Each structure stands twice: as structure tokens, then as C-alpha cells.
Amino acid sequence: MAYNSQNAAYDLSLFDDESIYTDGTAAPKREKESVHKKKKKADSAKANKVVKLPQDELYKIRRRKHNPLKLALGSIAGTAAAVVVGIIIVGQVQLTELNEQIIEAQSTLANAQSIYTENEMKLEAGLSGSAIEMYAENNLGMTKASNAQKEFVSLSGGDKAEVFSQSDENIFTQFFDSIANLWS
């Protein structure tokens, strides 16, 4: 399988033992590590001494150190978020209760309007013109007005207006009246 040799990141042929370039030439073979080099590496690993720590110190080192300021800020932020969510929930509950009260009031209003309409229709049915006349004639002893009971008024003389003035006014009242007439 041959890959593009221009892109070295994806050139997997470098890891094959029998690599072949895209132009068909064979890649040079790498030299195998000698036994001598392997021994040097093993000796250098022995030269590095590993220090072992007691278990409690490892636990202390591995344990995460918490910053008290960050803990306080996180607690305050969490409390604030809980308070905001609580306020939203309480608001929604109050809104729901108010909506239920509005619906109940609307149904009560609709019932009252229907009772009012029903009573109004009963009243109108009981108070027809003929029923009123019969009640007035039978119970109150009233009769219909005749032409003899009617009195006609004539206004052919025209309208007249008379101004009444007091004759016993003194000088002071006339003076105050004249000043009042200036302002009006």
C-alpha cells in the first residue's frame, strides 16, 4: 500500500520493513539496535533511583487543595441560583392561583348574568301593559282619563320677564353692587 510521500505525517511506509516509495524504489532499511545499546539503556535505568513515598504523603499530594474563596463564591452562586429558581416557582404558583380565581369569578359572573336575564324576562312578562291597566282598575280604582278631565293651556300672550328690585337699598349696598358689576 503506497501513500503520498509529500505528507510525512501520514507516511505509514516508514514503519514497514519492506517500504516502497511511490516512485517504485525501495526505502533504505533501518539498522536494528544492537545488543550493546540495549544494555546501556538498562544500566541507565538502574542508575536512576526511584524514591518511594509513604502512603499518607502520597494521599496528601494527590488530594486536591480547595481554595476557600472559590468555595465561598461557588456556594453563593449556588444559593443565588436556588433562590432565583424558588422565586420563579413561587411566581408561577401565584399566577396559577390568580388564573383559577379569575376563571371562577368569570363563571360566577356568567351565572349571575343568566339569573339577571331570567328575572328581567319574568318581570317584563308580569308587567305587560294590559296587566298594569287591569291592576290599576281593579286594585287601585283608577280609570282612563276622559276629555273632560283634560285641561288645555294657551300661551298666545307671549313671554314676559319682570325684574324685581329692592327699593330699600342704602348707599353702601349700591356702591358694593356697582363694584361687583364692574368685575363681572
Side-chain angles (χ1 to χ4, degrees):
M1 189 168 181
Y3 293 100
N4 189 354
S5 63
Q6 293 175 353
N7 194 351
Y10 296 107
D11 191 9
L12 299 177
S13 63
L14 295 175
F15 301 105
D16 291 342
D17 287 339
E18 296 177 16
S19 301
I20 299 177
Y21 289 127
T22 56
D23 61 355
T25 61
K29 294 191 178 188
R30 295 187 307 165
E31 294 180 17
K32 292 188 178 179
E33 287 186 16
S34 67
V35 177
H36 182 59
K37 286 183 181 178
K38 287 182 183 177
K39 274 189 177 182
K40 280 187 180 179
K41 284 184 182 180
D43 291 339
S44 66
K46 288 180 184 176
N48 293 336
K49 295 185 179 178
V50 176
V51 178
K52 291 190 178 182
L53 294 175
Q55 190 67 23
D56 347 343
E57 289 187 29
L58 279 175
Y59 178 72
K60 285 180 184 178
I61 292 171
R62 289 181 186 160
R63 188 177 63 179
R64 184 173 178 188
K65 293 183 173 106
H66 299 287
N67 187 352
L69 180 63
K70 286 184 181 179
L71 285 174
L73 289 176
S75 299
I76 290 171
T79 305
V83 167
V84 168
V85 169
I87 289 172
I88 290 171
I89 289 172
V90 168
Q92 289 296 323
V93 167
Q94 289 176 347
L95 185 63
T96 303
E97 289 174 355
L98 290 175
N99 283 338
E100 287 175 0
Q101 289 176 358
I102 288 171
I103 291 169
E104 185 178 328
Q106 286 176 342
S107 67
T108 305
L109 176 66
N111 290 339
Q113 285 176 340
S114 102
I115 290 171
Y116 173 76
T117 305
E118 182 181 335
N119 288 339
E120 191 176 53
M121 291 176 69
K122 285 181 183 177
L123 183 65
E124 287 178 3
L127 295 178
S128 65
S130 60
I132 293 173
E133 285 179 18
M134 287 177 56
Y135 181 78
E137 287 176 1
N138 295 338
N139 295 341
L140 301 176
M142 300 174 103
T143 60
K144 285 188 178 182
S146 64
N147 285 338
Q149 293 174 331
K150 295 179 185 174
E151 187 176 322
F152 296 99
V153 179
S154 173
L155 297 175
S156 62
D159 292 336
K160 293 182 183 179
E162 291 183 22
V163 177
F164 178 74
S165 65
Q166 280 183 321
S167 61
D168 54 333
E169 290 182 4
N170 60 17
I171 259 183
F172 293 114
T173 57
Q174 288 177 355
F175 177 71
F176 286 125
D177 288 341
S178 65
I179 291 175
N181 286 338
L182 286 176
W183 288 105
S184 60

mmCIF file of all heavy atoms in Angstrom, residues 142-181:
data_model
loop_
_atom_site.group_PDB
_atom_site.id
_atom_site.type_symbol
_atom_site.label_atom_id
_atom_site.label_comp_id
_atom_site.label_asym_id
_atom_site.label_seq_id
_atom_site.Cartn_x
_atom_site.Cartn_y
_atom_site.Cartn_z
ATOM 1 N N MET A 142 -108.610 53.139 39.649
ATOM 2 C CA MET A 142 -108.289 54.177 38.674
ATOM 3 C C MET A 142 -109.042 53.917 37.379
ATOM 4 O O MET A 142 -109.408 52.784 37.076
ATOM 5 C CB MET A 142 -106.777 54.194 38.410
ATOM 6 C CG MET A 142 -105.943 54.463 39.630
ATOM 7 S SD MET A 142 -104.199 54.304 39.255
ATOM 8 C CE MET A 142 -103.732 55.994 39.143
ATOM 9 N N THR A 143 -109.284 54.985 36.611
ATOM 10 C CA THR A 143 -109.924 54.866 35.298
ATOM 11 C C THR A 143 -109.071 55.612 34.292
ATOM 12 O O THR A 143 -108.235 56.438 34.652
ATOM 13 C CB THR A 143 -111.340 55.473 35.322
ATOM 14 O OG1 THR A 143 -111.256 56.847 35.679
ATOM 15 C CG2 THR A 143 -112.237 54.721 36.289
ATOM 16 N N LYS A 144 -109.384 55.399 33.019
ATOM 17 C CA LYS A 144 -108.665 56.105 31.959
ATOM 18 C C LYS A 144 -109.143 57.548 31.949
ATOM 19 O O LYS A 144 -110.310 57.845 32.227
ATOM 20 C CB LYS A 144 -108.925 55.463 30.602
ATOM 21 C CG LYS A 144 -108.186 54.167 30.420
ATOM 22 C CD LYS A 144 -108.329 53.696 28.988
ATOM 23 C CE LYS A 144 -107.541 52.427 28.786
ATOM 24 N NZ LYS A 144 -107.608 51.959 27.411
ATOM 25 N N ALA A 145 -108.260 58.467 31.604
ATOM 26 C CA ALA A 145 -108.600 59.895 31.573
ATOM 27 C C ALA A 145 -109.525 60.171 30.393
ATOM 28 O O ALA A 145 -109.306 59.693 29.290
ATOM 29 C CB ALA A 145 -107.337 60.727 31.461
ATOM 30 N N SER A 146 -110.572 60.975 30.651
ATOM 31 C CA SER A 146 -111.509 61.354 29.573
ATOM 32 C C SER A 146 -111.189 62.769 29.141
ATOM 33 O O SER A 146 -110.388 63.463 29.766
ATOM 34 C CB SER A 146 -112.948 61.236 30.076
ATOM 35 O OG SER A 146 -113.163 62.157 31.115
ATOM 36 N N ASN A 147 -111.841 63.245 28.077
ATOM 37 C CA ASN A 147 -111.597 64.594 27.564
ATOM 38 C C ASN A 147 -112.051 65.648 28.568
ATOM 39 O O ASN A 147 -111.543 66.763 28.567
ATOM 40 C CB ASN A 147 -112.310 64.792 26.231
ATOM 41 C CG ASN A 147 -111.594 64.066 25.109
ATOM 42 O OD1 ASN A 147 -110.416 63.772 25.231
ATOM 43 N ND2 ASN A 147 -112.311 63.773 24.037
ATOM 44 N N ALA A 148 -113.011 65.326 29.429
ATOM 45 C CA ALA A 148 -113.489 66.281 30.412
ATOM 46 C C ALA A 148 -112.418 66.520 31.470
ATOM 47 O O ALA A 148 -112.363 67.593 32.080
ATOM 48 C CB ALA A 148 -114.770 65.758 31.074
ATOM 49 N N GLN A 149 -111.583 65.579 31.691
ATOM 50 C CA GLN A 149 -110.529 65.729 32.704
ATOM 51 C C GLN A 149 -109.286 66.432 32.161
ATOM 52 O O GLN A 149 -108.427 66.839 32.921
ATOM 53 C CB GLN A 149 -110.122 64.354 33.236
ATOM 54 C CG GLN A 149 -111.207 63.668 34.015
ATOM 55 C CD GLN A 149 -110.798 62.250 34.380
ATOM 56 O OE1 GLN A 149 -110.021 61.635 33.656
ATOM 57 N NE2 GLN A 149 -111.356 61.753 35.471
ATOM 58 N N LYS A 150 -109.216 66.597 30.894
ATOM 59 C CA LYS A 150 -108.050 67.231 30.287
ATOM 60 C C LYS A 150 -108.208 68.730 30.315
ATOM 61 O O LYS A 150 -109.280 69.253 30.041
ATOM 62 C CB LYS A 150 -107.854 66.746 28.847
ATOM 63 C CG LYS A 150 -107.536 65.283 28.759
ATOM 64 C CD LYS A 150 -107.388 64.852 27.327
ATOM 65 C CE LYS A 150 -107.180 63.346 27.248
ATOM 66 N NZ LYS A 150 -107.176 62.882 25.858
ATOM 67 N N GLU A 151 -107.185 69.469 30.633
ATOM 68 C CA GLU A 151 -107.210 70.923 30.692
ATOM 69 C C GLU A 151 -106.146 71.442 29.727
ATOM 70 O O GLU A 151 -104.988 71.053 29.794
ATOM 71 C CB GLU A 151 -106.887 71.381 32.113
ATOM 72 C CG GLU A 151 -107.060 72.846 32.311
ATOM 73 C CD GLU A 151 -106.830 73.236 33.763
ATOM 74 O OE1 GLU A 151 -107.233 72.493 34.659
ATOM 75 O OE2 GLU A 151 -106.210 74.285 33.962
ATOM 76 N N PHE A 152 -106.573 72.335 28.845
ATOM 77 C CA PHE A 152 -105.665 72.865 27.834
ATOM 78 C C PHE A 152 -105.162 74.228 28.274
ATOM 79 O O PHE A 152 -105.902 75.032 28.814
ATOM 80 C CB PHE A 152 -106.387 72.957 26.484
ATOM 81 C CG PHE A 152 -106.793 71.619 25.948
ATOM 82 C CD1 PHE A 152 -108.100 71.155 26.093
ATOM 83 C CD2 PHE A 152 -105.860 70.818 25.321
ATOM 84 C CE1 PHE A 152 -108.459 69.926 25.620
ATOM 85 C CE2 PHE A 152 -106.228 69.580 24.838
ATOM 86 C CZ PHE A 152 -107.516 69.125 24.979
ATOM 87 N N VAL A 153 -103.909 74.537 28.021
ATOM 88 C CA VAL A 153 -103.280 75.799 28.405
ATOM 89 C C VAL A 153 -102.920 76.539 27.138
ATOM 90 O O VAL A 153 -102.358 75.976 26.209
ATOM 91 C CB VAL A 153 -102.014 75.538 29.246
ATOM 92 C CG1 VAL A 153 -101.329 76.822 29.628
ATOM 93 C CG2 VAL A 153 -102.345 74.721 30.464
ATOM 94 N N SER A 154 -103.193 77.836 27.111
ATOM 95 C CA SER A 154 -102.896 78.647 25.937
ATOM 96 C C SER A 154 -101.760 79.599 26.275
ATOM 97 O O SER A 154 -101.804 80.293 27.288
ATOM 98 C CB SER A 154 -104.147 79.426 25.524
ATOM 99 O OG SER A 154 -103.819 80.317 24.501
ATOM 100 N N LEU A 155 -100.776 79.689 25.401
ATOM 101 C CA LEU A 155 -99.630 80.559 25.604
ATOM 102 C C LEU A 155 -99.537 81.617 24.506
ATOM 103 O O LEU A 155 -98.473 81.991 24.068
ATOM 104 C CB LEU A 155 -98.336 79.742 25.623
ATOM 105 C CG LEU A 155 -98.179 78.722 26.741
ATOM 106 C CD1 LEU A 155 -96.907 77.936 26.543
ATOM 107 C CD2 LEU A 155 -98.154 79.414 28.086
ATOM 108 N N SER A 156 -100.646 82.148 24.063
ATOM 109 C CA SER A 156 -100.631 83.091 22.953
ATOM 110 C C SER A 156 -100.257 84.495 23.384
ATOM 111 O O SER A 156 -99.998 85.353 22.565
ATOM 112 C CB SER A 156 -101.998 83.111 22.269
ATOM 113 O OG SER A 156 -102.979 83.545 23.190
ATOM 114 N N GLY A 157 -100.227 84.793 24.662
ATOM 115 C CA GLY A 157 -99.924 86.131 25.150
ATOM 116 C C GLY A 157 -98.451 86.474 25.032
ATOM 117 O O GLY A 157 -98.077 87.644 25.104
ATOM 118 N N GLY A 158 -97.582 85.541 24.847
ATOM 119 C CA GLY A 158 -96.151 85.799 24.723
ATOM 120 C C GLY A 158 -95.462 85.691 26.067
ATOM 121 O O GLY A 158 -96.088 85.690 27.115
ATOM 122 N N ASP A 159 -94.158 85.695 26.021
ATOM 123 C CA ASP A 159 -93.372 85.581 27.244
ATOM 124 C C ASP A 159 -92.988 86.966 27.731
ATOM 125 O O ASP A 159 -92.629 87.842 26.958
ATOM 126 C CB ASP A 159 -92.095 84.781 26.986
ATOM 127 C CG ASP A 159 -92.397 83.328 26.684
ATOM 128 O OD1 ASP A 159 -93.464 82.869 27.116
ATOM 129 O OD2 ASP A 159 -91.556 82.667 26.037
ATOM 130 N N LYS A 160 -93.094 87.153 29.018
ATOM 131 C CA LYS A 160 -92.700 88.431 29.620
ATOM 132 C C LYS A 160 -91.767 88.133 30.776
ATOM 133 O O LYS A 160 -91.939 87.147 31.478
ATOM 134 C CB LYS A 160 -93.917 89.179 30.145
ATOM 135 C CG LYS A 160 -94.853 89.640 29.068
ATOM 136 C CD LYS A 160 -95.986 90.410 29.678
ATOM 137 C CE LYS A 160 -96.969 90.822 28.610
ATOM 138 N NZ LYS A 160 -98.090 91.538 29.169
ATOM 139 N N ALA A 161 -90.809 89.029 30.999
ATOM 140 C CA ALA A 161 -89.892 88.910 32.126
ATOM 141 C C ALA A 161 -89.938 90.186 32.932
ATOM 142 O O ALA A 161 -89.926 91.286 32.393
ATOM 143 C CB ALA A 161 -88.483 88.644 31.631
ATOM 144 N N GLU A 162 -90.038 90.074 34.233
ATOM 145 C CA GLU A 162 -90.038 91.238 35.113
ATOM 146 C C GLU A 162 -88.834 91.129 36.029
ATOM 147 O O GLU A 162 -88.520 90.070 36.540
ATOM 148 C CB GLU A 162 -91.311 91.255 35.959
ATOM 149 C CG GLU A 162 -92.552 91.537 35.166
ATOM 150 C CD GLU A 162 -93.769 91.617 36.065
ATOM 151 O OE1 GLU A 162 -93.606 91.867 37.280
ATOM 152 O OE2 GLU A 162 -94.856 91.416 35.560
ATOM 153 N N VAL A 163 -88.171 92.287 36.254
ATOM 154 C CA VAL A 163 -87.021 92.337 37.129
ATOM 155 C C VAL A 163 -87.484 92.978 38.436
ATOM 156 O O VAL A 163 -88.018 94.080 38.450
ATOM 157 C CB VAL A 163 -85.871 93.147 36.515
ATOM 158 C CG1 VAL A 163 -84.709 93.241 37.473
ATOM 159 C CG2 VAL A 163 -85.457 92.544 35.183
ATOM 160 N N PHE A 164 -87.263 92.270 39.486
ATOM 161 C CA PHE A 164 -87.662 92.768 40.798
ATOM 162 C C PHE A 164 -86.463 93.446 41.429
ATOM 163 O O PHE A 164 -85.380 92.881 41.512
ATOM 164 C CB PHE A 164 -88.137 91.580 41.655
ATOM 165 C CG PHE A 164 -88.530 91.971 43.026
ATOM 166 C CD1 PHE A 164 -89.729 92.659 43.248
ATOM 167 C CD2 PHE A 164 -87.735 91.690 44.121
ATOM 168 C CE1 PHE A 164 -90.103 93.013 44.518
ATOM 169 C CE2 PHE A 164 -88.109 92.055 45.392
ATOM 170 C CZ PHE A 164 -89.288 92.717 45.598
ATOM 171 N N SER A 165 -86.655 94.656 41.890
ATOM 172 C CA SER A 165 -85.566 95.384 42.539
ATOM 173 C C SER A 165 -86.020 95.818 43.917
ATOM 174 O O SER A 165 -87.152 96.222 44.117
ATOM 175 C CB SER A 165 -85.120 96.573 41.696
ATOM 176 O OG SER A 165 -86.168 97.507 41.602
ATOM 177 N N GLN A 166 -85.095 95.811 44.843
ATOM 178 C CA GLN A 166 -85.405 96.242 46.188
ATOM 179 C C GLN A 166 -85.334 97.769 46.241
ATOM 180 O O GLN A 166 -84.401 98.379 45.753
ATOM 181 C CB GLN A 166 -84.411 95.667 47.185
ATOM 182 C CG GLN A 166 -84.696 94.250 47.570
ATOM 183 C CD GLN A 166 -83.696 93.783 48.637
ATOM 184 O OE1 GLN A 166 -82.531 94.130 48.566
ATOM 185 N NE2 GLN A 166 -84.187 93.017 49.585
ATOM 186 N N SER A 167 -86.292 98.319 46.868
ATOM 187 C CA SER A 167 -86.326 99.787 46.942
ATOM 188 C C SER A 167 -85.647 100.313 48.203
ATOM 189 O O SER A 167 -85.327 101.477 48.281
ATOM 190 C CB SER A 167 -87.771 100.284 46.868
ATOM 191 O OG SER A 167 -88.497 99.767 47.962
ATOM 192 N N ASP A 168 -85.410 99.486 49.157
ATOM 193 C CA ASP A 168 -84.833 99.952 50.408
ATOM 194 C C ASP A 168 -83.329 99.664 50.488
ATOM 195 O O ASP A 168 -82.821 99.257 51.512
ATOM 196 C CB ASP A 168 -85.575 99.365 51.599
ATOM 197 C CG ASP A 168 -85.668 97.862 51.556
ATOM 198 O OD1 ASP A 168 -85.640 97.303 50.441
ATOM 199 O OD2 ASP A 168 -85.757 97.230 52.625
ATOM 200 N N GLU A 169 -82.631 99.896 49.383
ATOM 201 C CA GLU A 169 -81.183 99.741 49.382
ATOM 202 C C GLU A 169 -80.549 101.038 49.874
ATOM 203 O O GLU A 169 -80.997 102.123 49.526
ATOM 204 C CB GLU A 169 -80.663 99.426 47.977
ATOM 205 C CG GLU A 169 -81.032 98.058 47.487
ATOM 206 C CD GLU A 169 -80.439 97.788 46.110
ATOM 207 O OE1 GLU A 169 -79.691 98.615 45.574
ATOM 208 O OE2 GLU A 169 -80.737 96.723 45.571
ATOM 209 N N ASN A 170 -79.489 100.908 50.618
ATOM 210 C CA ASN A 170 -78.793 102.110 51.056
ATOM 211 C C ASN A 170 -77.630 102.389 50.125
ATOM 212 O O ASN A 170 -77.357 101.653 49.187
ATOM 213 C CB ASN A 170 -78.377 102.001 52.517
ATOM 214 C CG ASN A 170 -77.442 100.835 52.749
ATOM 215 O OD1 ASN A 170 -76.870 100.316 51.803
ATOM 216 N ND2 ASN A 170 -77.281 100.447 54.007
ATOM 217 N N ILE A 171 -76.907 103.430 50.419
ATOM 218 C CA ILE A 171 -75.815 103.885 49.546
ATOM 219 C C ILE A 171 -74.679 102.870 49.517
ATOM 220 O O ILE A 171 -74.056 102.664 48.469
ATOM 221 C CB ILE A 171 -75.339 105.261 50.039
ATOM 222 C CG1 ILE A 171 -75.933 106.301 49.146
ATOM 223 C CG2 ILE A 171 -73.882 105.418 50.145
ATOM 224 C CD1 ILE A 171 -75.505 107.696 49.455
ATOM 225 N N PHE A 172 -74.385 102.226 50.654
ATOM 226 C CA PHE A 172 -73.276 101.284 50.715
ATOM 227 C C PHE A 172 -73.545 100.037 49.866
ATOM 228 O O PHE A 172 -72.663 99.568 49.158
ATOM 229 C CB PHE A 172 -72.995 100.885 52.167
ATOM 230 C CG PHE A 172 -72.481 102.031 52.999
ATOM 231 C CD1 PHE A 172 -73.239 102.523 54.042
ATOM 232 C CD2 PHE A 172 -71.250 102.612 52.739
ATOM 233 C CE1 PHE A 172 -72.783 103.570 54.806
ATOM 234 C CE2 PHE A 172 -70.799 103.660 53.506
ATOM 235 C CZ PHE A 172 -71.564 104.138 54.543
ATOM 236 N N THR A 173 -74.740 99.511 49.920
ATOM 237 C CA THR A 173 -75.059 98.328 49.116
ATOM 238 C C THR A 173 -75.044 98.664 47.637
ATOM 239 O O THR A 173 -74.611 97.854 46.822
ATOM 240 C CB THR A 173 -76.409 97.743 49.512
ATOM 241 O OG1 THR A 173 -77.416 98.733 49.385
ATOM 242 C CG2 THR A 173 -76.384 97.193 50.921
ATOM 243 N N GLN A 174 -75.505 99.872 47.256
ATOM 244 C CA GLN A 174 -75.458 100.271 45.839
ATOM 245 C C GLN A 174 -74.002 100.392 45.376
ATOM 246 O O GLN A 174 -73.658 100.017 44.259
ATOM 247 C CB GLN A 174 -76.192 101.609 45.641
ATOM 248 C CG GLN A 174 -77.686 101.493 45.768
ATOM 249 C CD GLN A 174 -78.357 102.847 45.635
ATOM 250 O OE1 GLN A 174 -77.709 103.895 45.539
ATOM 251 N NE2 GLN A 174 -79.675 102.821 45.645
ATOM 252 N N PHE A 175 -73.112 100.917 46.270
ATOM 253 C CA PHE A 175 -71.705 101.070 45.939
ATOM 254 C C PHE A 175 -71.055 99.698 45.735
ATOM 255 O O PHE A 175 -70.349 99.459 44.745
ATOM 256 C CB PHE A 175 -70.996 101.856 47.055
ATOM 257 C CG PHE A 175 -69.515 102.006 46.829
ATOM 258 C CD1 PHE A 175 -69.024 102.844 45.838
ATOM 259 C CD2 PHE A 175 -68.602 101.304 47.611
ATOM 260 C CE1 PHE A 175 -67.670 102.973 45.641
ATOM 261 C CE2 PHE A 175 -67.249 101.437 47.425
ATOM 262 C CZ PHE A 175 -66.769 102.267 46.432
ATOM 263 N N PHE A 176 -71.296 98.767 46.649
ATOM 264 C CA PHE A 176 -70.729 97.417 46.514
ATOM 265 C C PHE A 176 -71.289 96.705 45.286
ATOM 266 O O PHE A 176 -70.566 95.987 44.591
ATOM 267 C CB PHE A 176 -71.002 96.581 47.775
ATOM 268 C CG PHE A 176 -70.147 96.985 48.945
ATOM 269 C CD1 PHE A 176 -70.745 97.334 50.150
ATOM 270 C CD2 PHE A 176 -68.763 97.035 48.847
ATOM 271 C CE1 PHE A 176 -69.973 97.719 51.222
ATOM 272 C CE2 PHE A 176 -68.004 97.404 49.928
ATOM 273 C CZ PHE A 176 -68.604 97.769 51.117
ATOM 274 N N ASP A 177 -72.571 96.876 44.973
ATOM 275 C CA ASP A 177 -73.160 96.260 43.783
ATOM 276 C C ASP A 177 -72.545 96.821 42.510
ATOM 277 O O ASP A 177 -72.320 96.106 41.532
ATOM 278 C CB ASP A 177 -74.680 96.464 43.780
ATOM 279 C CG ASP A 177 -75.380 95.616 44.822
ATOM 280 O OD1 ASP A 177 -74.742 94.617 45.280
ATOM 281 O OD2 ASP A 177 -76.521 95.916 45.172
ATOM 282 N N SER A 178 -72.286 98.142 42.486
ATOM 283 C CA SER A 178 -71.675 98.736 41.290
ATOM 284 C C SER A 178 -70.249 98.207 41.090
ATOM 285 O O SER A 178 -69.817 97.964 39.967
ATOM 286 C CB SER A 178 -71.704 100.255 41.370
ATOM 287 O OG SER A 178 -70.900 100.704 42.432
ATOM 288 N N ILE A 179 -69.489 98.000 42.186
ATOM 289 C CA ILE A 179 -68.128 97.436 42.073
ATOM 290 C C ILE A 179 -68.209 95.998 41.630
ATOM 291 O O ILE A 179 -67.424 95.549 40.759
ATOM 292 C CB ILE A 179 -67.387 97.564 43.424
ATOM 293 C CG1 ILE A 179 -67.087 99.045 43.695
ATOM 294 C CG2 ILE A 179 -66.089 96.759 43.416
ATOM 295 C CD1 ILE A 179 -66.465 99.317 45.035
ATOM 296 N N ALA A 180 -69.148 95.220 42.136
ATOM 297 C CA ALA A 180 -69.305 93.829 41.725
ATOM 298 C C ALA A 180 -69.685 93.723 40.246
ATOM 299 O O ALA A 180 -69.253 92.827 39.543
ATOM 300 C CB ALA A 180 -70.365 93.139 42.590
ATOM 301 N N ASN A 181 -70.503 94.679 39.772
ATOM 302 C CA ASN A 181 -70.888 94.670 38.343
ATOM 303 C C ASN A 181 -69.699 94.998 37.459
ATOM 304 O O ASN A 181 -69.632 94.561 36.315
ATOM 305 C CB ASN A 181 -72.012 95.683 38.107
ATOM 306 C CG ASN A 181 -73.333 95.193 38.653
ATOM 307 O OD1 ASN A 181 -73.527 93.982 38.829
ATOM 308 N ND2 ASN A 181 -74.236 96.114 38.940
#
